[in-house]
Amino acid sequence: MTSSRGPWQVNDSREIYRNPWISLTEHAVRQPDGEPGVYGVVGFANLALAILPLFEDGRLILVGQHRFPLDRYSWEIPEGGGPIGTDPRDGAARELREETGYSARHWQEILRMDLSNSVTDEAAIGYIATGLTPGEAEPDGTEELVTRDIHFLDALDEVSSGKISDALTVAMLLRAYYMAREGALDRDLAVAMLDKGARRS
């Protein structure tokens, strides 16, 4: 049955692959220029969740882990997935606890993002988490994690230098920086985040 997606005509669709996390669907299409073509779309079973855990003194928590697809080590804010249709904030709280052991009293949504919209339908939500209380981390079997505290401005330097390249981490840090400068965050927290004297050399 023929359907349309904007200027694209979809003549046929078939699922090529599925596992508990992703699926791959191949669409036989007529392109916007009228020519026939094929469009593959990766579908995600989970919503991507990102958490920026901030301490009162402007430090944050980064998580280090080896990322299988790129075969490369990556420093990131806590991230994970929550089943679509469930409360994303509950999922974010679970991911923060599992990866760092911390729980948070206060949550503020600051970002909604399409992660790679030319080939996937993956969407993300990002939160700032404050009022942090330590606990015991509970990573799952796919994770071998290391955590470190770093001042917010030093984390931004690592974005600028390319040491941090994870898309959600970059977006969340830049969004939080903008909000801190524009008065959209708690004033005391924003001052601590932007305090150059608190940076580590």
Side-chain angles (χ1 to χ4, degrees), residues 3-30:
S3 62
S4 63
R5 294 189 178 192
W8 297 78
Q9 178 179 302
V10 181
N11 298 317
D12 185 45
S13 301
R14 64 190 183 104
E15 186 174 271
I16 305 298
Y17 173 78
R18 176 177 292 273
N19 67 28
W21 303 278
I22 62 171
S23 62
L24 174 61
T25 301
E26 182 179 88
H27 302 279
V29 299
R30 185 170 299 281

Side-chain angles (χ1 to χ4, degrees), residues 128-200:
I128 285 178
T130 55
L132 301 174
T133 302
E136 194 70 29
E138 300 174 353
D140 66 36
T142 66
E143 298 173 319
E144 186 176 278
L145 308 179
V146 176
T147 61
R148 65 182 169 112
D149 298 351
I150 183 173
H151 190 269
F152 181 80
L153 291 178
D154 290 323
L156 278 181
D157 282 347
E158 294 194 6
V159 167
S160 181
S161 70
K163 185 174 182 179
I164 293 176
S165 58
D166 171 70
L168 263 179
T169 302
V170 172
M172 286 286 288
L173 290 173
L174 293 176
R175 175 65 174 153
Y177 179 67
Y178 174 83
M179 293 177 71
R181 287 180 55 93
E182 295 299 312
L185 295 179
D186 173 82
R187 183 180 182 280
D188 290 340
L189 178 61
V191 168
M193 290 166 61
L194 303 177
D195 181 6
K196 294 182 179 180
R199 301 172 70 164
R200 300 172 183 172

Side-chain angles (χ1 to χ4, degrees), residues 46-51 80-96 107 109 111-112 123-127:
N46 292 317
L47 184 69
L49 302 170
I51 307 97
I84 293 171
T86 64
D87 187 336
R89 215 223 69 176
D90 289 345
R94 183 192 66 250
E95 290 295 334
L96 176 63
W107 293 84
E109 182 184 319
L111 183 74
R112 292 201 174 216
I125 299 180
Y127 298 90

Side-chain angles (χ1 to χ4, degrees), residues 46-113:
N46 292 317
L47 184 69
L49 302 170
I51 307 97
L52 179 55
L54 284 166
F55 296 101
E56 293 179 356
D57 62 2
R59 290 177 300 122
L60 58 93
I61 304 169
L62 289 178
V63 176
Q65 63 182 306
H66 185 273
R67 287 300 191 181
F68 184 91
L70 299 178
D71 192 16
R72 192 166 69 218
Y73 203 80
S74 178
W75 284 102
E76 309 164 3
I77 60 175
E79 298 172 356
I84 293 171
T86 64
D87 187 336
R89 215 223 69 176
D90 289 345
R94 183 192 66 250
E95 290 295 334
L96 176 63
R97 184 176 61 255
E98 288 179 356
E99 294 194 359
T100 71
Y102 280 87
S103 57
R105 288 193 306 274
H106 308 294
W107 293 84
Q108 181 178 358
E109 182 184 319
I110 66 166
L111 183 74
R112 292 201 174 216
M113 184 175 173

